[in-house]
Amino acid sequence: MRWHLASQLAGSVGLALLYLAGAQASRVFAVPPGYASMVWLPAGIALAAAMRFKPEVLVGVVLGSGLNNSMIGASPWAGLLIGIGAALQAWVGARFIGDCCLRTWRCIAKIVLLGGALGCLVNSHIGPRFLALFGAIEWANLPENSARWWLGDTLGVVLFAPISLLVIDRCRQTSPKPSSPSPSCSPQS
């Protein structure tokens, strides 16, 4: 039991650090006014984690996103609520996609359309509203910020979820410790 809890804690902390590193890299693509980046790499990292690990690891997304948003000027409460939205978005996107690997065009299309275009509607509606509610952005800029947020998250999923999935799957193949299997890569997936 303790090993399981320690393993989940380590996974969440690792995911939080990866999320935060991806957020720092994504700041290069930020466009004023507001907080939205035109390419948000952590959205892809979070989706891949949600697809391959238990939902409990998404606490790392909440922590990484909350810390990032607080570091760039959002209130701690807004950061926490945006982090919850980011974790919810990853979880919803992973549920939409289901069990899939990267060996089929169907799976890639599911990642792009269901995890990206559709799934990224979640936090693009949650995040900017909390920023406006806590005074970090103007309500008048909400539609523009929501659209940029959606685009940035979607591009982050399209560009970085497949790379993250390949890394996760490769690490699982080379890991000496047994882990849960990656999804079946049959032609039907």
Side-chain angles (χ1 to χ4, degrees), residues 47 51-52 93 97 100-102 105-119 154 157-159 161-162 165:
L47 178 63
M51 289 175 67
R52 293 295 191 259
I97 295 167
C100 91
C101 66
L102 294 174
W105 285 107
R106 182 176 182 203
C107 178
I108 294 168
K110 287 167 85 175
I111 291 170
V112 170
L113 298 174
L114 300 178
L118 186 58
T154 300
V157 165
V158 169
L159 297 172
L165 288 168

Side-chain angles (χ1 to χ4, degrees), residues 6 17 24 26 34 46 58 92 94 105-106 119 122 124 127 134 144 152 156 158 163 174 187:
L17 293 173
Q24 297 301 310
S26 294
L58 293 177
V92 166
W105 285 107
R106 182 176 182 203
V122 173
S124 68
F134 286 95
E144 181 181 349
V158 169
I163 294 169
T174 60

Side-chain angles (χ1 to χ4, degrees), residues 4-189:
H4 179 69
L5 183 60
S7 175
Q8 283 185 334
L9 180 62
S12 292
V13 169
L15 182 55
L17 293 173
L18 284 172
Y19 193 100
L20 195 55
Q24 297 301 310
S26 294
R27 284 190 185 171
V28 172
F29 306 110
V31 178
Y35 287 70
S37 173
M38 295 307 288
V39 179
W40 189 246
L41 302 177
I45 295 168
L47 178 63
M51 289 175 67
R52 293 295 191 259
F53 300 110
K54 293 181 179 181
E56 293 85 11
V57 80
L58 293 177
V59 168
V61 173
V62 175
L63 295 174
S65 177
L67 183 57
N68 174 67
N69 281 290
S70 294
M71 287 170 54
I72 59 175
S75 76
W77 284 110
L80 174 67
L81 294 168
I82 292 167
I84 292 169
L88 179 63
Q89 174 176 290
W91 183 83
V92 166
R95 299 296 70 78
F96 283 163
I97 295 167
D99 191 31
C100 91
C101 66
L102 294 174
R103 293 187 186 169
T104 66
W105 285 107
R106 182 176 182 203
C107 178
I108 294 168
K110 287 167 85 175
I111 291 170
V112 170
L113 298 174
L114 300 178
L118 186 58
C120 290
L121 288 170
V122 173
N123 210 26
S124 68
H125 282 79
I126 294 173
R129 279 160 182 76
F130 282 123
L131 289 174
L133 183 65
F134 286 95
I137 63 172
E138 296 293 325
W139 283 102
N141 294 332
L142 188 63
E144 181 181 349
N145 272 282
S146 291
R148 285 184 181 170
W149 197 300
W150 174 82
L151 179 62
D153 280 7
T154 300
L155 290 175
V157 165
V158 169
L159 297 172
F160 221 67
I163 294 169
S164 298
L165 288 168
L166 288 172
V167 169
I168 291 168
D169 291 347
R170 180 68 179 157
C171 288
R172 284 183 164 187
Q173 289 173 357
T174 60
S175 174
K177 189 177 120 183
S179 63
S180 58
S182 293
S184 167
C185 289
S186 65
Q188 291 81 23
S189 44

